[in-house]
Amino acid sequence: MDNSARVATVAFVVLCLVTSVGLAAASNTDTLELEAAESGDSDTTTLSYSFTAQGNGTATVSPTSDSQSAGDVTFTLQSSESFTVEAGQSYTVEYEVTAQDGAREGTYDLFSSVSGPSGSYSETLSVDVEVLEPQFGSVGSQDDELSFTTDSTASTTIDVDVDNIGDGVMTGVSASTSGVPSGMDADVSTPSEIGAGDTETVEVDVSAEESLSEGSHSFTVTVEDSLGNTESFTVTIDVIKAPVLTADDRDIDLGDVLIGESVSGDFILEESGGYEDVNGVQVVFDNQHPDGEITLSGVDGFIEANGDRVGTVTISPESSAQQHTDLSWDATLRPDDPDGTGTTIMFTARVIYPPYYESVSAPDRTIAFDEPRAQQSEFSNTVPVTIENGGDRPMDISSVTPTITGSEMTATVVDAPDTIPGQSSRTVEVRVTADADSDPGDRQMNVAVDAQEAGQERTSATISVEHETEIDVETTDIAYGRVVATRTATRNIAISERLGYNDIENFDIRLVSGPEEGWLTLAERPDSLAAGETSPLVTSLTFDTRAQFFTQYTWEYRITGDNIETQTITVTATPRPVDFTATVDDLRAAESNGDNRHRTVASETASAMEELTTEIREDSSQQARNDVTTVSAAGRSTALFLRYTIDAQQQMDSGNHTAAQRSLTRAAATYNTLASASGRVQTPAARTRLDRAAGAAEEILTELLDEQRGHYEQQLASNDTTMLERAQTTRQLAQLAALAGDDSEAERLESESQSAFSNYSTLVSDGNANLQSARQDRANLTAGTLLTVGGRPVYWIGNLDGVEQQQSAVVESYTQAEQQFESAGASSRAQTAQSERMAFSQRMEQGRLLSFGLAGFVVVAFITGLGLEARAIYRYVQDSTEAVRGDFLLANDTA
């Protein structure tokens, strides 16, 4: 029990008014405990009893206190000595009882009474005081060993259990030793106290010098408490001086060991005690690793005291061991001496693998044909082939061989490592090249990697050839600047498919923004663009009188198509008023050329334009604005009319009626414009002027047409006119009739022209047939030649009659063709027939002469041959006669 708790007293007054009969009865007995080993210990309790008042009034309790056992046991009333009660009510009286250190064991009583208005009540309160005494339990003898190893001293600690078998706490515990031998020292540690019924540990630290002899040594330890209680026990120490094995390194790491091989290393065992030799070593492995084997050698021999010995450890991994498995064994090495001290050494190694392919990979790549076909002969891309060496040893690369499908593509290694370190990866750069003519699509590239130890590994990748499509616009900004209203201006730009591989599908040019009055149109535009094609985009701009002068207008055209980037073309233009100055100056200058009628046309038209200009400047009526376009066209047409009619007159005067026909055609067109304008102009003054100009122009044109018509009619009446000339002349007359407005005459003459052209075609066709016939007969005749000399045919003399007949047929066909061509007017074809006929006749005549020469040569050669043959026969006959006579023998003998 805590002293402060025991010393504390509860001075709490309890006067419980009990209104219910069912409450428990009060406690009037208890026990107080005092610790004998604790000075000043005390214990307190509360004793009480209850009573029921018999009447109303004041109740008095006695005694209020009491002291017993020389004052070490006291009773103290906790309520008022007097208090008011009511009849029938129950009340409790409490006393605090305290026992102090020094109180004797026994029972202490207190007689308490309550006197009230209608009687009294009494109760005896009792408390038992118990003094708690500690007591040591029996401690037996203690035995231990003390072994000397490498130090000059040895020590050990003995833990001794000491019991308190008493019912009181044991305090002031101490210990002493006796009989400790020389060379030995003993130090005892005790707990501060031992609780009742508890057990605590007394530690005996024993140390000895090496001078202490080997064997058993004893001494006594006595334990005592604060009350003088003691307990003694004997400690026996067995001093041992046996061999001691130690290792200079207790953690032997052999490093990496290659699967399929083994690794070895040395270690040193020492006898470090210095007292006894080691006569044998016992090895015990505390564990076995399933992925490897270990062997120790050189450790089971003799080691003298303070000597050493070198051992060898060998570790071999199993074939099934996983890469980077850590192999570890704890080996305990002890001397054979049972009292000897051993050591534990950890042997470790790590399993490594030879080089092997963890992976060989190559990503898919695309070769984009993104440059013009005409400018690029080939396209390429680089494919990184990643080789990962999963092993721990370097991988020596022997070769890397890429191949790719398709004869138009090649794959070559541009960079490759010689060695890949263990647990690393390296990249081989393979360049894939495609000819510019390669078709689009996928090809497979295969790569074979060969290494000295790892062997061969393959991988593949898909190489895609993509033909891209690209549109090229010469410019996306078309600026017209200031454009005269009613005048037409054009701009053109080039649009092309730049690369030349794909057509642009769904090609479209569309106006997306800008004025919708129709001023700007696409005069020419491509409906499609083939691969490599370039087409013009022509814009035509004509502002009418509705346009706001000097206001810039903007249009946007959008060019779209499959697989191309959308292009936007911006067109800007600013309208300005018509300026007749240049045209008027031209007309005024023309007044000095030609006759009076020419001057009238030029003067009246120029005046019409000047009057309209004045009208617009002074009045600017809508009627005048509407006439701007018409009068402008009339002015330009008049200037052209004057130039064309003067040219036509000069050309007819010089006899060049073909050129004059073209000038008259143009003059008639410009006259029609002038005449039409004069009928459409609304401004009175300008209209009057234009009417007079149109009348004078009509007279000029009619006179020129009549003169030209007379020339062609005279030419048509000539007998020397060829069929082609007749057809052409009739057509020119038909055109003149049309220009003069005589449509019926023009139709009649056109019909005659077509008939003449038909006759011309017939003659030319017949002439071509005869020409082809002559050429075929000539070829047949050439095929029958005996031989050819210098390009001239040579015939056998007996065939000359037949050859001459065939020659006559060829010449006849050539002649007919020549005549037909001349009649038709096909002069060049007639000249061709004549040239071939003359060349053929000359070649045949030369061949005829060569044939006669050949015949003469053959006759001479024949006669010569007969003479030589006759001479040979004569000599043969002569030799035969001599042989019969034997003259040749005589001739030899004579010789």
Side-chain angles (χ1 to χ4, degrees):
M1 181 181 297
D2 187 84
N3 289 334
S4 61
R6 293 185 177 94
V7 173
T9 60
V10 179
F12 181 74
V13 178
V14 180
L15 291 174
C16 297
L17 177 61
V18 180
T19 59
S20 173
V21 181
L23 292 178
S27 173
N28 55 7
T29 62
D30 203 354
T31 300
L32 295 176
E33 294 180 348
L34 297 176
E35 291 289 347
E38 293 185 358
S39 176
D41 188 27
S42 64
D43 194 10
T44 301
T45 188
T46 300
L47 300 179
S48 61
Y49 63 91
S50 299
F51 68 95
T52 300
Q54 300 300 315
N56 298 326
T58 300
T60 302
V61 180
S62 64
T64 58
S65 64
D66 185 29
S67 177
Q68 302 178 26
S69 185
D72 292 329
V73 179
T74 60
F75 293 81
T76 304
L77 180 65
Q78 296 299 301
S79 62
S80 299
E81 180 181 0
S82 298
F83 50 91
T84 302
V85 297
E86 294 181 3
Q89 298 296 324
S90 295
Y91 300 90
T92 299
V93 177
E94 284 187 353
Y95 283 87
E96 182 184 82
V97 184
T98 300
Q100 300 288 340
D101 180 26
R104 297 184 301 275
E105 283 189 335
T107 299
Y108 297 86
D109 296 327
L110 173 69
F111 181 80
S112 175
S113 63
V114 178
S115 60
S118 299
S120 63
Y121 179 82
S122 64
E123 187 75 30
T124 299
L125 302 179
S126 298
V127 63
D128 292 328
V129 176
E130 295 182 359
V131 179
L132 305 180
E133 298 283 350
Q135 181 181 349
F136 283 109
S138 176
V139 179
S141 298
Q142 305 294 315
D143 298 325
D144 199 359
E145 293 181 351
L146 193 152
S147 298
F148 281 87
T149 56
T150 59
D151 297 330
S152 59
T153 60
S155 62
T156 186
T157 299
I158 304 171
D159 292 334
V160 181
D161 290 337
V162 177
D163 300 329
N164 176 9
I165 60 176
D167 55 6
V169 66
M170 183 179 291
T171 62
V173 180
S174 62
S176 61
T177 59
S178 61
V180 178
S182 176
M184 180 180 291
D185 184 37
D187 185 17
V188 183
S189 300
T190 60
S192 59
E193 66 177 39
I194 303 175
D198 291 343
T199 300
E200 295 291 342
T201 300
V202 174
E203 292 182 353
V204 182
D205 295 326
V206 180
S207 61
E209 302 290 338
E210 63 179 351
S211 59
L212 186 64
S213 63
E214 190 174 10
S216 296
H217 301 273
S218 300
F219 59 90
T220 301
V221 176
T222 300
V223 183
E224 184 177 4
D225 67 0
S226 60
L227 298 179
N229 298 318
T230 62
E231 177 65 22
S232 298
F233 56 89
T234 302
V235 178
T236 301
I237 301 297
D238 188 10
V239 177
I240 301 173
K241 295 184 178 180
V244 178
L245 272 181
T246 59
D248 62 339
D249 187 356
R250 297 183 60 199
D251 189 357
I252 306 298
D253 186 3
L254 300 184
D256 294 332
V257 54
L258 188 65
I259 191 79
E261 298 182 2
S262 61
V263 63
S264 298
D266 293 336
F267 61 95
I268 298 176
L269 283 179
E270 300 175 343
E271 197 296 309
S272 56
Y275 303 109
E276 298 287 342
D277 298 334
V278 176
N279 293 303
V281 177
Q282 299 176 4
V283 179
V284 177
F285 290 102
D286 298 341
N287 65 299
Q288 293 294 329
H289 204 292
D291 292 323
E293 294 182 355
I294 185 172
T295 58
L296 299 180
S297 60
V299 299
D300 55 351
F302 171 80
I303 304 175
E304 66 180 355
N306 288 326
D308 59 41
R309 186 178 184 86
V310 177
T312 301
V313 58
T314 301
I315 294 177
S316 302
E318 297 290 343
S319 60
S320 60
Q322 296 297 313
Q323 186 177 12
H324 297 161
T325 297
D326 290 324
L327 304 177
S328 176
W329 290 267
D330 289 328
T332 299
L333 295 89
R334 299 183 59 86
D336 286 343
D337 188 333
D339 293 329
T341 302
T343 186
T344 299
I345 304 176
M346 176 183 288
F347 298 100
T348 58
R350 189 183 72 144
V351 179
I352 63 172
Y353 276 21
Y356 67 89
Y357 296 104
E358 181 69 26
S359 66
V360 178
S361 62
D364 296 340
R365 282 290 186 268
T366 297
I367 300 179
F369 282 33
D370 54 2
E371 291 297 330
R373 182 193 291 267
Q375 300 177 11
Q376 197 84 1
S377 61
E378 62 184 24
F379 296 85
S380 63
N381 199 350
T382 300
V383 181
V385 180
T386 302
I387 305 172
E388 184 177 355
N389 178 10
D392 301 284
R393 296 287 181 87
M395 178 185 292
D396 295 328
I397 302 298
S398 301
S399 65
V400 178
T401 306
T403 58
I404 190 168
T405 57
S407 59
E408 75 283 3
M409 300 186 69
T410 59
T412 55
V413 175
V414 296
D415 186 24
D418 296 327
T419 302
I420 302 176
Q423 294 291 294
S424 300
S425 62
R426 293 292 185 269
T427 298
V428 176
E429 300 291 339
V430 177
R431 177 163 296 166
V432 181
T433 303
D435 294 342
D437 296 329
S438 300
D439 294 330
D442 295 340
R443 278 81 166 171
Q444 180 170 313
M445 183 188 73
N446 298 311
V447 180
V449 181
D450 286 285
Q452 292 182 5
E453 291 185 66
Q456 187 181 86
E457 184 71 9
R458 294 177 176 271
T459 189
S460 62
T462 299
I463 307 300
S464 301
V465 174
E466 289 187 0
H467 286 180
E468 295 192 357
T469 307
E470 182 177 330
I471 190 171
D472 183 63
V473 179
E474 181 180 354
T475 179
T476 57
D477 292 308
I478 301 175
Y480 277 88
R482 290 186 176 183
V483 179
V484 175
T486 73
R487 291 187 182 179
T488 299
T490 59
R491 297 287 188 275
N492 66 289
I493 61 172
I495 300 177
S496 61
E497 195 291 312
R498 190 177 77 91
L499 301 182
Y501 303 106
N502 300 318
D503 298 343
I504 299 180
E505 302 293 339
N506 297 319
F507 180 79
D508 185 46
I509 302 177
R510 181 176 303 173
L511 178 66
V512 294
S513 66
E516 298 180 354
E517 284 79 3
W519 299 329
L520 182 68
T521 59
L522 295 182
E524 185 177 352
R525 52 159 291 174
D527 294 326
S528 62
L529 271 183
E533 180 185 3
T534 299
S535 295
L537 175 66
V538 180
T539 57
S540 178
L541 176 66
T542 305
F543 283 114
D544 58 24
T545 56
R546 293 174 297 171
Q548 295 294 322
F549 294 150
F550 304 110
T551 298
Q552 179 173 289
Y553 292 94
T554 302
W555 294 263
E556 284 190 352
Y557 286 91
R558 187 158 296 161
I559 303 176
T560 59
D562 293 347
N563 300 322
I564 64 171
E565 183 177 351
T566 298
Q567 300 287 327
T568 300
I569 298 177
T570 303
V571 182
T572 58
T574 302
R576 67 179 179 86
V578 175
D579 186 359
F580 293 146
T581 302
T583 304
V584 170
D585 290 345
D586 290 342
L587 293 175
R588 294 301 183 191
E591 291 180 5
S592 60
N593 298 325
D595 55 15
N596 290 332
R597 290 174 300 182
H598 282 83
R599 286 192 289 272
T600 299
V601 172
S603 175
E604 292 297 333
T605 304
S607 297
M609 298 181 76
E610 290 173 342
E611 290 180 3
L612 182 62
T613 301
T614 301
E615 179 74 17
I616 293 175
R617 186 181 300 114
E618 295 179 353
D619 186 15
S620 188
S621 65
Q622 186 60 42
Q623 177 178 296
R625 292 171 64 88
N626 292 339
D627 286 341
V628 168
T629 303
T630 305
V631 173
S632 177
R636 292 195 300 271
S637 297
T638 300
L640 293 174
F641 173 82
L642 295 173
R643 190 180 74 185
Y644 293 148
T645 54
I646 291 174
D647 289 345
Q649 186 64 62
Q650 292 174 350
Q651 289 160 351
M652 285 188 291
D653 292 344
S654 64
N656 189 357
H657 288 275
T658 300
Q661 185 81 356
R662 290 194 294 270
S663 296
L664 287 174
T665 302
R666 294 167 181 163
T670 56
Y671 165 75
N672 290 335
T673 302
L674 174 59
S676 174
S678 66
R680 290 185 288 111
V681 172
Q682 300 298 317
T683 304
R687 180 168 185 165
T688 300
R689 296 281 189 180
L690 290 179
D691 286 342
R692 285 198 292 266
E698 183 179 7
E699 293 177 3
I700 296 172
L701 181 61
T702 300
E703 183 176 318
L704 292 174
L705 291 176
D706 290 344
E707 183 178 350
Q708 181 79 344
R709 186 183 303 109
H711 166 74
Y712 282 125
E713 288 175 349
Q714 182 180 358
Q715 187 180 36
L716 192 62
S718 175
N719 294 328
D720 295 334
T721 305
T722 65
M723 189 62 65
L724 179 60
E725 291 173 342
R726 179 174 294 277
Q728 292 173 339
T729 300
T730 305
R731 175 171 291 177
Q732 297 291 354
L733 288 171
Q735 186 178 20
L736 290 172
L739 293 176
D742 191 350
D743 293 338
S744 61
E745 181 66 12
E747 291 179 2
R748 183 187 69 78
L749 291 172
E750 182 65 29
S751 177
E752 289 183 6
S753 174
Q754 290 178 358
S755 177
F757 271 114
S758 178
N759 293 334
Y760 164 78
S761 298
T762 301
L763 286 173
V764 172
S765 177
D766 292 343
N768 283 329
N770 284 321
L771 181 60
Q772 292 301 321
S773 177
R775 289 172 176 173
Q776 182 62 43
D777 292 341
R778 184 187 67 186
N780 294 336
L781 183 59
T782 302
T785 59
L786 178 63
L787 54 87
T788 301
V789 178
R792 278 77 176 176
V794 179
Y795 299 95
W796 181 245
I797 192 66
N799 296 335
L800 284 178
D801 291 341
V803 169
E804 289 179 353
Q805 292 177 1
Q806 296 179 27
Q807 179 181 353
S808 297
V810 172
V811 172
E812 178 64 22
S813 295
Y814 271 125
T815 301
Q816 290 179 4
E818 183 179 349
Q819 293 172 351
Q820 288 165 336
F821 286 142
E822 288 177 349
S823 298
S827 302
S828 61
R829 299 293 290 169
Q831 182 65 36
T832 299
Q834 182 183 18
S835 299
E836 290 185 11
R837 176 179 59 77
M838 294 178 65
F840 171 73
S841 298
Q842 182 180 5
R843 189 166 59 254
M844 291 301 295
E845 182 62 27
Q846 292 172 350
R848 182 172 177 274
L849 294 176
L850 287 173
S851 298
F852 281 121
L854 176 62
F857 174 77
V858 170
V859 170
V860 172
F862 179 72
I863 294 174
T864 302
L866 287 177
L868 293 174
E869 187 65 24
R871 182 180 177 185
I873 293 173
Y874 171 76
R875 290 184 60 85
Y876 174 74
V877 172
Q878 190 177 32
D879 291 341
S880 298
T881 302
E882 290 178 357
V884 172
R885 294 176 180 178
D887 292 341
F888 71 93
L889 295 174
L890 295 176
N892 291 336
D893 290 341
T894 302

